[in-house]
Amino acid sequence: MTQKSNILIIGAGISGLSCLHFLKRKNPNVDVVLLEKNPHAGGTIRSRREDGFLFEHGPNGILAQPLTLEMFEQLGLSAHMIKASEAAKKRYVLKNGKLNPVPGHPKDFFQSNYLSAAEKCRAVCEMFVPKSFVPDETIYDFARRRFGTAVAEKLFDPMVKGIFGGDARRLHLRSVFSKVDRMEQQHGSVFRALMKGKKEKGAVPFKRTLVSFREGMQTVIDALVEKYSRHIRCGVEVQNISTGASGRSRFVIQTSSGLFEADHVILCAPAFAAAKLLQGYDSELSRLLGQIEYAPIVVTGMGFERPPTRFSAVGGADFTKRGRGGVPEAYGYLVASSEKSPVLGALFEDQIFEGRVSENRALLRVMLGGSDHPEIVRDSPETIQSIALNHLEKVLGLRQKPQKFFLKIWPQAIPQYTLEYADVIRKARGRLENHPGLNLLANYLGGVSFNDCVENASQLAERF
Ligand SMILES: Cc1cc2nc3c(=O)[nH]c(=O)nc-3n(C[C@H](O)[C@H](O)[C@H](O)COP(=O)(O)OP(=O)(O)OC[C@H]3O[C@@H](n4cnc5c(N)ncnc54)[C@H](O)[C@@H]3O)c2cc1C
């Protein structure tokens, strides 16, 4: 028998789940069903606690924005939220074989030794670089044009690797950092926009606090699933979307659990999955979505029962020369492309949020792969572990073997907003205009962060 609803959401990642939340907030009687192919909801977000270590498959925390905090409040989660430690404000970049502390705030910029005096001078001259409008500019080219080559290579390059597993020389500034682009367009300079305080709402990343939950980001997923369980069906894979017969619902949706009908479809699956579902409905839209590139990410977790020695942060730190090695008191580090390493970065999880490990233990999360090293997803778990451990030995001098090893491989983890992507999305949006009732909502549109997904979901729900 065909199951009917007014709205059908496909995919229970944070995009689909938060959209369901905002639809229900707007109209508690909304007729909506959410289908998820996996037996569990959450998509990229999943937290596992084993032997006292909490391992995150995806995000370990988020830089809370007002709308996200509001959603947490509505879900009754505010009291359970935890803030990152003071130590987590310190971050490093691995460049030239050394860990270099990076400025976390504009005022730290001048005290940092990571950039030479000449490089800082060039960066500050950003205020006097004339504004120009370059529609198809990469992040790297933008950073080099405005701040100089050193800032592009030492700060922007590792940051883009850390967020996207991507290459700053290929990603499109206006698609990725539209707020930064607007700072230049509206204020003539990024520094000036920051300093004058003429910031757009939420445009200054430094003021936001990194938050999570004691049992990890899974807490948010569990709360959403519990609250809306009547509407969510896990273990139902959508196989095909087609046009409904005249006089009936607009869409017929074929699934592993039979046929569904709906007047509105909100497709929250990744682009490559959405492309498959739309093949018979609009082959051109399907082809376009299929062109969106994803970077693979391999996430490893190393649980140590005897924590490595901790050192307070120092500039240009070489931890390999400190006896048994050690871990700086910090959030972690990102690896610059010039290191040619398959490692994207390492996070000192037990130092970021309380409760990640039971007392007197340590947990390091090493992320590998990205668009420069896609081959890593084909390696065996043993090879991946040894690459990660050799890296930790080389960088931190750690020779200890972890007692617990976690691994999560995402062959298609993060969509890459490349220069080509901008054109693909423009055309895809054009196709969508011919399909009333069909909505795309996922991290390949309008930002990859948790906050972006929530913000986009809220905006879409408002339109119903
Ligand atoms: C390793 C990693 C670390 C990250 N760290 C951070 C971070 O620190 N901070 C931050 O803000 N963001 C981070 N992100 C990004 C952020 O987590 C994601 O962009 C976001 O969670 C994506 O949510 P989504 O709902 O759009 O997609 P997804 O989470 O991919 O969800 C899509 C869902 O659709 C389902 N689906 C697919 N096909 C079908 C089908 N045919 N039928 C039914 N269901 C289907 C999938 O099973 C999945 O559950 C990270 C991402 C990764 C991979």
Side-chain angles (χ1 to χ4, degrees), residues 11 13-15 36-38 43-44 58-59 61 238 268-269 414 443 448-450:
I14 192 60
S15 298
E36 164 58 47
K37 73 169 182 178
N38 284 331
T44 313
V238 174
C268 304
I414 312 251
N443 64 354
V448 301
S449 77
F450 182 102

Side-chain angles (χ1 to χ4, degrees), residues 120-352:
K120 281 185 225 171
C121 261
R122 168 61 189 89
V124 172
C125 286
E126 192 269 342
M127 287 192 273
F128 311 107
V129 174
K131 158 176 128 177
S132 50
F133 180 71
V134 190
D136 287 333
E137 192 171 35
T138 65
I139 296 173
Y140 182 86
D141 287 344
F142 168 86
R144 200 173 49 166
R145 173 169 64 79
R146 296 222 53 93
F147 300 98
T149 306
V151 168
E153 282 181 6
K154 292 182 172 179
L155 296 175
F156 278 78
D157 161 280
M159 176 173 68
V160 169
K161 278 185 84 182
I163 301 174
F164 288 86
D167 181 352
R169 289 166 181 78
R170 291 193 59 227
L171 300 198
H172 184 218
L173 178 90
R174 300 187 80 204
S175 302
V176 176
F177 296 133
S178 56
K179 285 173 184 164
V180 175
D181 175 56
R182 282 203 295 278
M183 283 176 170
E184 177 183 16
Q185 297 313 320
Q186 288 172 6
H187 303 283
S189 144
V190 177
F191 265 137
R192 250 187 282 152
L194 287 170
M195 287 194 323
K196 277 185 193 162
K198 282 185 184 169
K199 49 192 185 270
E200 300 163 57
K201 195 166 154 249
V204 182
F206 313 102
K207 291 245 164 91
R208 291 184 273 147
T209 312
L210 183 65
V211 298
S212 185
F213 298 87
R214 209 178 158 81
E215 289 309 312
M217 294 303 291
Q218 181 77 43
T219 306
V220 181
I221 303 302
D222 292 347
L224 285 159
V225 169
E226 194 187 327
K227 188 158 181 148
Y228 303 115
S229 58
R230 266 188 335 110
H231 299 270
I232 301 173
R233 294 195 41 196
C234 286
V236 180
E237 179 169 7
V238 174
Q239 293 156 338
N240 182 43
I241 298 171
S242 55
T243 313
S246 114
R248 303 202 52 166
S249 306
R250 271 197 199 127
F251 299 98
V252 174
I253 300 99
Q254 197 178 318
T255 79
S256 56
S257 293
L259 288 183
F260 285 71
E261 277 186 22
D263 279 326
H264 302 272
V265 166
I266 305 180
L267 187 41
C268 304
F272 51 87
K276 276 194 200 140
L277 302 184
L278 292 170
Q279 252 161 14
Y281 182 76
D282 179 339
S283 57
E284 178 56 12
L285 179 58
S286 159
R287 191 188 66 79
L288 289 165
L289 295 180
Q291 285 179 0
I292 296 174
E293 241 179 82
Y294 278 68
I297 308 259
V298 173
V299 189
T300 67
M302 318 274 179
F304 296 92
E305 279 171 12
R306 248 177 357 108
T309 316
R310 275 197 202 163
F311 296 108
S312 55
V314 283
D318 184 350
F319 291 91
T320 55
K321 299 214 169 75
R322 292 174 182 257
R324 283 191 303 118
V327 175
E329 285 168 354
Y331 178 86
Y333 60 86
L334 296 169
V335 180
S337 299
S338 53
E339 297 299 294
K340 308 265 180 251
S341 169
V343 174
L344 296 166
L347 306 185
F348 311 142
E349 292 283 339
D350 57 291
Q351 298 193 45
I352 304 172

Side-chain angles (χ1 to χ4, degrees), residues 29-61:
N29 299 320
V30 63
D31 177 19
V32 56
V33 171
L34 189 161
L35 304 179
E36 164 58 47
K37 73 169 182 178
N38 284 331
H40 53 81
T44 313
I45 299 168
R46 197 157 163 78
S47 322
R48 256 163 71 195
R49 190 176 284 281
E50 281 175 28
D51 303 336
F53 298 102
L54 185 89
F55 176 63
E56 295 280 15
H57 285 194
N60 63 348

